[in-house]
Amino acid sequence: MSVSPARRFAFKILLQSATSDLQISDALHSPQCEALELRDRRLSAELAYGVARNQSLLDGYLSRFLRTPFARLDLPVAVSLRLAAYQLLFLDRVPARAAVHESVSLVRAAGYHSASGMVNAVLRKVTRRDFATTLAGLELNDVAGLSLRYSHPEWLVGRWVRRFGLALAKATLEQNNQKPRHYFRLSCPLAESKAVLESLTSVEIEPHPSVEGAWSATRGDITATPAFQMHRIYQQDPASQWAAHLLDPGNARLCLDLCAAPGGKASLLARLGRGKIRIVAVDRVRRRLSTARNLHGQLWPSLLFVAADGTQPLPFNRVFDRVLIDAPCSGTGTVGRNPEIRWRLAEKRLQAYQNRQLQLLNRAAQALVAGGRLVYSTCSLEREENEQVIERFLTLHREFSVAIPDASAFASVVASSQGVTLLPSSQNNDGFFATILVRNR
């Protein structure tokens, strides 16, 4: 039996994602995916994201029908089992026969002919009734049960339960396994705003309840609109937009975005400043900075791009009124949008992130004028990358003080004396940390 293009491509994505740093979203925007028919692209996305979100739950359930531990299976065999089981247990419009037979064909095509009989036998034992009984028997008041039910690493679930409590941790896990809503904002000069919004006739849009200027498409594909293709709108999470608003660039003359690529926050700063403020966008990866320039440079002449490592002495001979650091991090706040990263994270790496984040803050402090404002943010929920970074920074820089951002408009917030953490919630924002640091005169 031949394998459909959608299943073949989803199988390839999941294999590559398990053996490299490939992001599923990048693969789904690749030329190879764009060459597929629309319905095949949509099914590939559903399968790749669905398997990644439910990986350990699928593994645990399928293990009941295996003689050897699931972890000892060859990767192509494991992925084919997950792929078929997800279709059988979670999708309504996929024929069971096609899901089973095509997964068997994928195993054979990958060179594992001897495993095809086992895959076929296991998948024929998978039923929704049995799966529902298994789910009903899971204990959701402990870390192990939550980890299995919501397919998050047990070490990460344990951290969240200890920090946020059982109820908030469970709500975060549930939200992470929902399909995220894709938000956008206008990226054009303010004078064009009304015309751009009126041009979006093929989609239905609604504003985000907490972040001014953030919109979502409730019907239709925003990326298929002329406004998107002409870079008049830009996809960006509400929490990420909020960080740019916190910088309050309105009365500044010179702003620095120290980790700028792919340029979303820098171009929003230019828009908030009505194109009258000089924004310097710095990033150490030239390729990503080039992408940012292509996306935003023509619309905003006041936006300058500089390739430099923000942890090293900065190549400027003047200070800035505002500095934004959206620091590289573990990304645990984006697990819902990028489900594959939950299986790549390692707790021991958090300290390495913290050291780099503190280096960025130290350089930013040197570049900020007295009385200036510095916004530090991450898309992480971990204290090592957020509160602990600010604590260490303040011990080194007594001339700075914290101004806690007002996050009262968001649905789920955890505040501390170092800043605020937005949890993924019914408002569909990513998890995010932000704080404001003011350099005292």
Side-chain angles (χ1 to χ4, degrees):
M1 182 177 185
S2 62
V3 180
S4 68
R7 292 184 179 89
R8 187 183 302 112
F9 192 65
F11 181 72
K12 179 181 178 180
I13 292 174
L14 291 167
L15 282 177
Q16 291 180 338
S17 175
T19 56
S20 71
D21 291 332
L22 175 76
Q23 285 192 310
I24 292 175
S25 60
D26 290 341
L28 292 171
H29 288 90
S30 67
Q32 185 177 357
C33 187
E34 294 295 333
L36 299 176
E37 293 185 6
L38 178 60
R39 66 177 183 177
D40 286 328
R41 292 202 302 270
R42 288 176 174 171
L43 180 56
S44 290
E46 174 65 45
L47 296 177
Y49 280 127
V51 169
R53 289 191 185 104
N54 295 280
Q55 179 173 304
S56 63
L57 177 61
L58 294 170
D59 293 359
Y61 177 68
L62 290 166
S63 293
R64 300 173 60 226
F65 312 119
L66 292 168
R67 295 179 179 177
T68 57
F70 197 95
R72 292 179 59 184
L73 295 176
D74 292 304
L75 183 61
V77 177
V79 171
S80 70
L81 284 169
R82 293 166 183 161
L83 198 57
Y86 177 73
Q87 295 171 77
L88 294 171
L89 299 173
F90 290 89
L91 301 186
D92 295 324
R93 300 176 65 181
V94 174
R97 182 176 179 275
V100 173
H101 284 271
E102 291 196 26
S103 279
V104 171
S105 297
L106 286 169
V107 170
R108 289 175 176 163
Y112 293 84
H113 296 269
S114 61
S116 61
M118 179 272 291
V119 169
N120 183 66
V122 167
L123 292 177
R124 292 188 180 280
K125 298 176 183 178
V126 172
T127 68
R128 292 198 175 191
R129 177 177 295 181
D130 182 57
F131 183 62
T133 301
T134 300
L135 291 183
L138 292 178
E139 177 59 62
L140 300 184
N141 291 319
D142 63 31
V143 169
L146 289 171
S147 172
L148 181 59
R149 174 61 183 86
Y150 297 109
S151 280
H152 284 64
E154 193 166 324
W155 68 266
L156 188 59
V157 176
R159 290 173 64 91
W160 290 353
V161 168
R162 289 190 297 273
R163 183 177 179 199
F164 305 127
L166 184 66
L168 269 182
K170 182 180 177 182
T172 299
L173 297 170
E174 289 177 341
Q175 186 62 37
N176 281 347
N177 280 1
Q178 303 300 313
K179 292 181 182 178
R181 183 175 292 186
H182 295 283
Y183 282 89
F184 69 93
R185 62 169 176 83
L186 299 184
S187 187
C188 58
L190 293 176
E192 300 180 26
S193 299
K194 182 179 179 182
V196 171
L197 287 174
E198 290 176 348
S199 75
L200 302 177
T201 56
S202 63
V203 297
E204 291 180 0
I205 62 174
E206 66 179 24
H208 188 270
S210 304
V211 180
E212 182 180 359
W215 300 80
S216 66
T218 57
R219 183 187 65 81
D221 182 3
I222 197 69
T223 65
T225 62
F228 179 84
Q229 294 164 1
M230 295 172 64
H231 302 165
R232 262 48 185 180
I233 59 178
Y234 181 75
Q235 287 188 306
Q236 189 173 18
D237 187 78
S240 176
Q241 296 183 43
W242 180 61
H245 283 279
L246 291 179
L247 201 65
D248 190 22
N251 60 351
R253 292 177 298 174
L254 190 61
C255 295
L256 173 65
D257 183 351
L258 199 53
C259 305
K265 295 182 184 67
S267 67
L268 179 52
L269 292 174
R271 177 176 164 82
L272 294 174
R274 300 176 178 269
K276 299 177 181 179
I277 301 171
R278 184 63 58 88
I279 312 292
V280 180
V282 172
D283 201 273
R284 67 173 180 169
V285 183
R286 288 180 177 272
R287 174 183 53 80
R288 299 186 71 222
L289 201 64
S290 178
T291 300
R293 182 187 293 110
N294 293 335
L295 282 173
H296 309 291
Q298 291 184 348
L299 282 171
W300 302 107
S302 63
L303 184 52
L304 306 179
F305 299 88
V306 177
D309 185 346
T311 66
Q312 302 301 313
L314 299 177
F316 309 117
N317 60 2
R318 60 185 303 180
V319 291
F320 295 81
D321 304 301
R322 302 282 191 275
V323 178
L324 172 64
I325 303 176
D326 186 37
C329 66
S330 64
T332 56
T334 67
V335 165
R337 192 172 304 280
N338 304 296
E340 68 279 5
I341 68 173
R342 69 183 77 177
W343 309 118
R344 300 174 183 168
L345 293 173
E347 191 170 17
K348 62 184 179 182
R349 293 179 60 189
L350 295 178
Q351 189 61 48
Y353 281 118
Q354 181 184 117
N355 292 336
R356 177 169 174 77
Q357 290 152 354
L358 185 61
Q359 289 175 331
L360 289 166
L361 266 176
N362 288 335
R363 294 300 179 189
Q366 297 168 3
L368 187 66
V369 70
R373 171 180 292 212
L374 191 164
V375 169
Y376 173 82
S377 64
T378 73
C379 54
S380 168
L381 303 181
E382 314 314 311
R383 281 187 52 85
E384 287 92 335
E385 302 179 88
N386 300 329
E387 289 86 353
Q388 290 182 15
V389 172
I390 302 305
E391 290 170 356
R392 288 181 63 186
F393 175 79
L394 292 175
T395 62
L396 298 171
H397 298 273
R398 302 291 185 180
E399 72 276 20
F400 278 84
S401 58
V402 174
I404 303 298
D406 179 8
S408 58
F410 287 90
S412 188
V413 178
V414 176
S416 71
S417 59
Q418 291 81 35
V420 294
T421 300
L422 311 180
L423 296 180
S425 69
S426 58
Q427 291 180 335
N428 282 283
N429 56 270
D430 287 344
F432 209 76
F433 173 85
T435 195
I436 300 169
L437 296 163
V438 179
R439 184 169 191 168
N440 304 316
R441 293 186 182 277

